[in-house]
Amino acid sequence: MTTPVLSVRNLVKRYGPHTVLDGVDLDVREHEVVALIGSSGSGKSTLLRCVNLLEELDDGQVLLDGVDVSDPRVDADVARRGMGIVFQAFNLFPHMSVLDNITLAPRVVHRVPRGEAERTALELLDRMGLADKARSYPDRLSGGQQQRVAIARSLAYSPRLLLLDEITSALDPELVGEVLALVRELAGQGRTILMATHEMGFARQVADRVCFLDGGRLIESGPPAQVLGEPEHERTRQFLRRIIEAGRL
Amino acid sequence: MTVSELQRERLAYKRFRSRRSTVVALLSTLVFAAVAYATVTGAPGWPRVRDSFFDVDVAWRALPAVLEGLWLNLRVLMVCGVLIVVLALGVAALRTLRGPVWFPVRALATGYVDLFRGMPLILTLYLVGFGLPALRLTGVPNDYVVLGGAALVLTYTAYVAEVFRAGIESVHPSQVAAARSLGLGPRRTLRLVVLPQAVRRVLPALLNDFVALQKDCGLISVLGAVDAVRAAQIEQARTFNFTPYVLAGLLFVLLAVPSARFADAMARRAERREGRR
């Protein structure tokens, strides 16, 4: 069996006395799309931030293609080149045009010549239907457009692993569709994706595997039909009942 | 809380790494200090410089006069500081007024800021200190301390007003919208919602200007006021030794250090309270 793209081993993260992640184990294989679900505060975002090494771990390991990137001897900046993360609040740089946002990492980190980086960026934008926005500034775009630019930015250097942190939570309902369609397309291309999401319907359609997090622990993991349809654990059932009551499934 | 063997090893490595950085910092500081010391004391003119700039006896004898001068500087600083903050807030508020009715007021405030921000402080000091009394208007004081203070206030108000204005304009329009939606008038919106956020944001810049003012208080000596700089000058003329200047300089630096630390502390406090970091 091949090494997974991402392996999380016994991951522990604390903020002061509060344990946010309490020994999480998770593998993501190549071409696999894994959805993390759970109520807010269950540790989904923290898990993604730990994988991207934006947070310091309190215990455990993060392995990328079998290499332990959580080791303090490893340069986190180098390790991050293999991953892309998209944030809930887009986090585009407001002082740069869309094109500069996307080409920043290829140019500065990966030393791609500007002309080549811009060609790649324009191709990406074209596929997302945003080619005419290349010279615009982020604040001129709608939320859905901004989030698609943020996805293009994280794809610009072809990372092995794409991390999506509740990327539709800050969007108006009518803009969610365009972003989810893009993610569906990326999944179809065989990209390896780990995403935290509140969109249960979307997780069911796109994910190969759904993981339910609660209280910083991975409670249940399996194919979407099983975890969302016939959950084994009481806590998963409670969570899904609340979601259904809120009319979100 | 159980910690795995792996994590224990990592923590030990991190501790080792931070200890190593401390040692490196310590060594590089020592080397730098040694080089600086050797360069200065090895200079051919060092014995002369030591005798005429760093004479402990001269410094000790000049201390009372220089301290008394510094006390004058401090009083000027306090009075000017308060006046500058109040006037600058006023000028900044005038400059942010909207609407054609206020055009003359806005223009006047803008003209004032342009004039006194552009004029070298030393010229303002001469013009106010020597020019104003020469007009022989009744009611114009001819005390050099008051006139020097007035010149400082004129110049620094222009600077500080611009700092305040930058702060006011950095508060997002949505904050004004929220305040107005609650029924607050324009003035109370400014006072209760906009200014508190603006001031907090520009506090580091304000305290920076405060330290600059602290030093520039020494410039009133050019008008003849006997402050720390002037007192040092008198001592220097008496002894033909420059040590009193060094003494006055050191005292000004000592005065600036608490202000700088206070500025840092205030910035940290604001960050903590608003939950950043």
Side-chain angles (χ1 to χ4, degrees), chain A residues 84 86 102 120 124 127-128 149-159 162 182 186 189 191:
Chain A
V86 181
I102 299 175
T120 317
L124 270 171
R127 265 192 288 157
M128 299 182 179
V149 170
I151 294 172
R153 180 173 69 174
S154 68
L155 290 176
Y157 48 93
S158 316
L162 192 59
L182 176 59
L186 295 175
Q189 290 165 8
R191 299 216 184 240

Side-chain angles (χ1 to χ4, degrees), chain A residues 10 14 16-17 56-62 68 70-73, chain B residues 1-14 16-17:
Chain A
N10 182 37
R14 300 187 190 93
E56 210 165 304
L57 317 185
D58 286 306
D59 208 337
Q61 289 173 292
V62 174
D68 183 356
S70 53
D71 191 299
R73 274 151 284 229
Chain B
M1 259 189 253
T2 50
V3 174
S4 70
E5 193 54 45
L6 175 81
Q7 185 65 12
R8 255 200 295 280
E9 190 273 326
R10 280 179 186 174
L11 287 174
Y13 171 73
K14 280 184 197 168
F16 159 74
R17 199 170 50 182

Side-chain angles (χ1 to χ4, degrees), chain B residues 175-187:
Chain B
Q175 290 291 306
V176 176
R180 297 306 293 274
S181 77
L182 295 172
L184 270 65
R187 242 174 301 166

